[in-house]
Amino acid sequence: MRLLRQSLGLLCGLLWLCGLLIMLPDPTLAASSAAIRAYDDVTGEVKDYSGQDLVRAEFSNARLKNANFSGADMRGAVFNGSVLTGANLHGVDFSNGIAYISNLSQTDLSDAVLTSAMLLKSSFRGANVTGADFSEAVLDRDQALMLCETASGVNPVTGVDTRESLGCK
């Protein structure tokens, strides 16, 4: 009888522990949302993000005129409806990034890596793309043609010719 009580007590304890574990949140779900840093509605004329780790950062409706992102790791970052007029993106790694409906006019994209980036509905008027790598990036055709007018150089990281990466003739 004593052995039966001990066994029953052990079984009840295990069932209680299993029930507790089932009620805990899934740690994989928490990790995915916590890994994204959002910078919504950022304002200000000058922001300094140079050299920072901005992997998968999100900038939504951000006003980043003349911001400095030089040398930042921006792989997978997102600019949605943001203004980056005159921003310094020299040497950034923006591979797999997204810039949708964003204004990148007069930006310095020299030596930037923009491989596989989605750059639709964004403006690059007057941008410096010397040495930038746009391999497999998706741009509106008119923006790519405009960038081809001044594109030159070879990316120092990937070794890819800028004009070739844009599909210039």
Side-chain angles (χ1 to χ4, degrees):
M1 186 71 156
R2 178 186 243 173
L3 185 60
L4 181 61
R5 274 191 214 158
Q6 286 178 343
S7 297
L8 193 54
L10 183 61
L11 181 62
C12 286
L14 286 173
L15 288 174
W16 178 81
L17 182 60
C18 288
L20 180 64
L21 290 175
I22 289 171
M23 293 179 5
L24 290 175
D26 184 357
T28 59
L29 295 176
S32 63
S33 62
I36 298 172
R37 288 167 288 160
Y39 299 85
D40 294 339
D41 301 315
V42 174
T43 58
E45 289 301 305
V46 179
K47 298 282 184 186
D48 189 1
Y49 299 98
S50 59
Q52 291 188 26
D53 177 358
L54 297 171
V55 174
R56 293 184 306 235
E58 292 183 6
F59 294 88
S60 183
N61 298 312
R63 304 295 172 246
L64 297 161
K65 185 177 179 184
N66 300 317
N68 183 8
F69 290 93
S70 62
D73 186 354
M74 302 179 71
R75 291 171 292 146
V78 176
F79 290 103
N80 186 15
S82 297
V83 176
L84 292 122
T85 308
N88 181 359
L89 287 107
H90 172 80
V92 300
D93 186 346
F94 191 65
S95 53
N96 299 306
I98 298 172
Y100 181 70
I101 313 176
S102 292
N103 186 349
L104 288 102
S105 298
Q106 305 299 318
T107 58
D108 180 0
L109 290 166
S110 60
D111 298 334
V113 177
L114 300 115
T115 56
S116 300
M118 298 292 291
L119 307 168
L120 296 171
K121 304 292 182 192
S122 292
S123 173
F124 295 90
R125 186 172 312 282
N128 175 7
V129 294
T130 303
D133 182 355
F134 287 90
S135 298
E136 299 182 32
V138 180
L139 290 97
D140 294 320
R141 181 79 176 136
D142 62 328
Q143 294 298 304
L145 291 172
M146 181 189 60
L147 290 174
C148 283
E149 293 175 12
T150 59
S152 65
V154 174
N155 186 276
V157 175
T158 64
V160 173
D161 180 271
T162 300
R163 294 184 57 77
E164 192 174 305
S165 72
L166 282 167
C168 302
K169 295 184 183 202

